[in-house]
Structure formats: structure tokens, C-alpha cells
Amino acid sequence: MEKTITASQTLCMPHQCQLEVFKDVLVQNGYVLYNGRGNTDDITLLRFLRAQKMDLDRAFEQFDTAQTWRKQYNIQSFYDNVDVDYYEESRKMYPQWIGRRDKNGYPIYIFPMRHLTIKRLDVYLKKISSCPTSREHRVDKPDIAPRDLHFHALYENLQHFVFPFVSQLARPDMSTPISASTHIVDVSGVSIRQFWSIRKYLQEASATATAHYPETLGRVFIVGAPAFFKSIWDMISQWFDPVTRSKIFLLSSSDAESTLRTFIDPPNLLKDYGGELEWQWQDLPNLDGPAREVMDKLHQDTAGGQVFPKGPILFEKGCIRLLGTIDGKPRRDGFCLK
């Protein structure tokens, strides 16, 4: 018997049609749709489909594996209840949002790799292992390493605060929410010895991000490459799938400034890379004007004098909430946009 094609299917765009079929498959397997915190919103589902080139079977397998893992380790609860100070320790070890956006509205993340030495990494891993456990965070399987929970918490921030937050701000194309970020990876001052000592850590982080948070990278600009870096780039590039590799640009010192200015306006580009922005590694985000107007409301109401609050934040249904725990007490301050 031939499959009947409905009128709505004949009118939808190819990706939209595939999304609708994907959602039917998820419902048949017990998933509840349109749940942003549960990662079953359309934007997240499209990311999994794009990661698998719209192959439904492979997209479902990746999505179901990621969701099962999230449920086993209660990732949402961990993000909601993580100790704020320990969350900040993790934030300072990974690429950080500088509070600015590129010309398309994508949030800009910076990662100067020279700061990630094996000594600092060992100190961080030792410290994070002593993070207090919230009574609210219960897991089906207690065998997860604290660093994995904290790594996922940072991606929860990207997906459930940064993306929806910047999606509310004016940009050239307001028809589609923001679901990817722009990264500047600065490898200047990195020796072969340093890179070799942290390569496993970097590879594991890359693999986890690709598996659990696919298609969240827009463009990656690698700047400041020492002479040896090109010789090992072939090895590094194998950590990424072909689609992700196509988004990574290794910029020469002579091309870096002009290329970055093509995608990022000078007020939103760090001075180190030819822009005008003052921002130091590990600083909290330095928001642009439109973003600051929104966050100033939170500053006035709840943040106690901070321009940008520390710790996990949630942006959902037009509301911002401060999450995490301080001295064991849950933090749930926030406000809703009008």
C-alpha cells in the first residue's frame, strides 16, 4: 500500500517535513514534545537531525542515547542546584562567553589555550571533585565523575540561557532562534609539550560536546598558531566530524584581524584581535547595550550590585532565573520580560 501524503506535508519545506516525521517518532517512543528544558523543542531536534544529515534513524539513535544519559545523571537538576562557586571554577576552565555577539547575532566565546596547563588542570580536577552535592540532585547511576557533570552544566548554560537570551536581541534575521556560537581559539604561546599533556582532555571534551550537544558550533577561528601547530592540525581535525571541520578556520597572523572583522564588529571584538573591547580571560560577560538593558533589570532587582551574576542562569518563556546554590541554599531569584 502506498503511503498517503497529507496536504501539510506537501507544503512544508524538506527540513520541516523531516522534523515533523522525527517528532512523530519521538512521540511514539514516549517523548513529550515542545519541552525546552527536556530538549524536545524544535530547535534542539533540528540540531540532531542536521548532525546526522537528516537521517531519521541515526538522529533518533543519537538523541535517545543523549536523553537517556541526561536522565540517568539528572543533568537538569545538577545545573539547577550546582554550587555557584564551583560552577564558576568550571566556567573559568573552558571557552567563555564574553557577552558579545557577531554580526549574525551568534554569541562569541573565547578560549586562550595557553591558560590550560596540565598543572592548572590537575588543580581544577582535584578541587572540583570536592564539590558539595545538593540534596535535590539524585541520580540513577552514581558512577559519573564530577568533571563530567560540570562540563555538561556549562553546555546547559549555553543551551538554556545564552541561546534563548541572545535570540531575544535584535539581529539581521529574527526569523530563526540562535542555536550556534562563534568561537575564537587562541593557541599563541602554546608549546608542543603543553598541548601534548592536555590533548586527551581536549579530545574527550570535543567528543562529549559533539555527541550530546551537536550543531552548537557556528564558526571556530583558530588564531596565533605557532609554527609547529600546522604539523599537528591533521591529528586535531580528526576529533571532529566533517561538517564541524568545515566550520573551523586556521587563520594566519596576517589574516586574523581582517577575517575576524568580517564577521565581528570592532566594538564586539577583543583588542587582542584588532577590536575595541576590553575583556580579560575569566571575566564575567561584558554585555553589549541591548543585552545590558535586559540584564540591568535583574541587576536592579536581585543581583546585589553585580553587573552580570555568577553561576547558572535560566532563560525560559521570557523569564530569567538565577539558579544554583549558595552555602547550600537554593537560589531562585529572577524576573520576566514584558
Side-chain angles (χ1 to χ4, degrees):
M1 180 181 295
E2 293 185 0
K3 182 178 179 180
T4 301
I5 300 176
T6 65
S8 62
Q9 288 175 315
T10 64
L11 296 175
C12 66
M13 298 296 288
H15 283 194
Q16 188 65 33
C17 287
Q18 201 74 335
L19 174 62
E20 294 305 316
V21 177
F22 190 35
K23 291 195 290 187
D24 287 343
V25 172
L26 293 179
V27 170
Q28 292 168 17
N29 283 273
Y31 284 101
V32 178
L33 300 181
Y34 310 113
N35 183 347
R37 296 293 320 263
N39 289 352
T40 58
D41 57 291
D42 285 3
I43 298 301
T44 301
L45 298 182
L46 275 171
R47 287 198 289 102
F48 279 87
L49 279 170
R50 288 197 299 268
Q52 300 299 336
K53 299 181 179 179
M54 310 308 288
D55 184 305
L56 286 171
D57 290 336
R58 292 170 58 186
F60 176 77
E61 181 181 1
Q62 182 182 7
F63 179 81
D64 190 53
T65 298
Q67 290 295 90
T68 299
W69 194 95
R70 287 174 60 82
K71 182 179 179 181
Q72 287 176 336
Y73 297 109
N74 210 347
I75 297 301
Q76 178 179 322
S77 173
F78 181 80
Y79 181 68
D80 290 355
N81 297 288
V82 63
D83 182 273
V84 169
D85 289 336
Y86 281 84
Y87 175 90
E88 285 298 310
E89 290 295 326
S90 298
R91 181 185 69 83
K92 294 175 181 179
M93 293 296 294
Y94 290 94
Q96 297 168 33
W97 182 41
I98 63 174
R100 299 304 172 103
R101 300 169 290 144
D102 69 13
K103 293 182 179 181
N104 290 321
Y106 290 10
I108 302 169
Y109 279 70
I110 301 292
F111 185 39
M113 196 178 292
R114 63 183 173 275
H115 295 292
L116 188 61
T117 63
I118 191 64
K119 181 177 180 180
R120 288 179 178 174
L121 180 57
D122 287 344
V123 169
Y124 162 71
L125 293 177
K126 182 177 180 179
K127 182 171 184 177
I128 213 70
S129 66
S130 64
C131 178
T133 301
S134 168
R135 289 175 296 180
E136 303 298 323
H137 180 240
R138 298 180 177 87
V139 298
D140 293 340
K141 297 177 66 177
D143 59 343
I144 187 170
R147 72 174 186 180
D148 292 330
L149 287 171
H150 282 264
F151 179 81
H152 280 268
L154 297 176
Y155 265 93
E156 292 296 293
N157 180 264
L158 172 71
Q159 185 165 308
H160 298 296
F161 170 66
V162 178
F163 283 164
F165 179 66
V166 300
S167 291
Q168 301 297 309
L169 307 176
R171 59 187 187 281
D173 180 9
M174 293 292 291
S175 65
T176 305
I178 296 294
S179 61
S181 53
T182 292
H183 286 236
I184 299 175
V185 179
D186 188 342
V187 294
S188 61
V190 178
S191 66
I192 293 179
R193 181 178 180 181
Q194 178 186 346
F195 175 79
W196 201 252
S197 67
I198 62 174
R199 73 189 187 286
K200 184 178 179 181
Y201 179 74
L202 294 173
Q203 186 174 9
E204 289 176 350
S206 173
T208 299
T210 300
H212 292 267
Y213 304 93
E215 293 294 297
T216 53
L217 279 179
R219 293 184 179 91
V220 180
F221 300 104
I222 299 178
V223 301
F228 75 84
F229 192 81
K230 291 182 180 179
S231 66
I232 65 171
W233 173 242
D234 287 343
M235 178 191 73
I236 299 173
S237 64
Q238 297 307 308
W239 298 351
F240 309 100
D241 61 81
V243 173
T244 301
R245 284 201 297 272
S246 70
K247 302 175 183 178
I248 301 175
F249 303 88
L250 184 59
L251 303 182
S252 67
S253 56
S254 59
D255 293 336
E257 182 175 328
S258 61
T259 301
L260 290 173
R261 280 174 171 259
T262 300
F263 296 96
I264 303 171
D265 289 323
N268 300 320
L269 181 62
L270 265 60
K271 286 186 174 181
D272 291 346
Y273 311 120
E276 303 169 2
L277 179 64
E278 293 278 2
W279 185 88
Q280 299 296 320
W281 175 244
Q282 299 187 347
D283 282 355
L284 288 166
N286 180 345
L287 299 178
D288 59 28
R292 185 176 292 271
E293 288 181 10
V294 175
M295 197 56 69
D296 276 349
K297 173 66 176 178
L298 179 62
H299 163 56
Q300 294 167 8
D301 289 356
T302 64
Q306 291 179 330
V307 174
F308 191 94
K310 295 181 178 180
I313 313 175
L314 175 68
F315 189 97
E316 185 179 40
K317 298 179 180 178
C319 297
I320 291 178
R321 278 196 297 156
L322 303 186
L323 301 176
T325 59
I326 298 177
D327 296 328
K329 297 179 180 179
R331 183 179 70 155
R332 297 294 184 267
D333 299 323
F335 75 99
C336 295
L337 305 180
K338 295 181 180 179

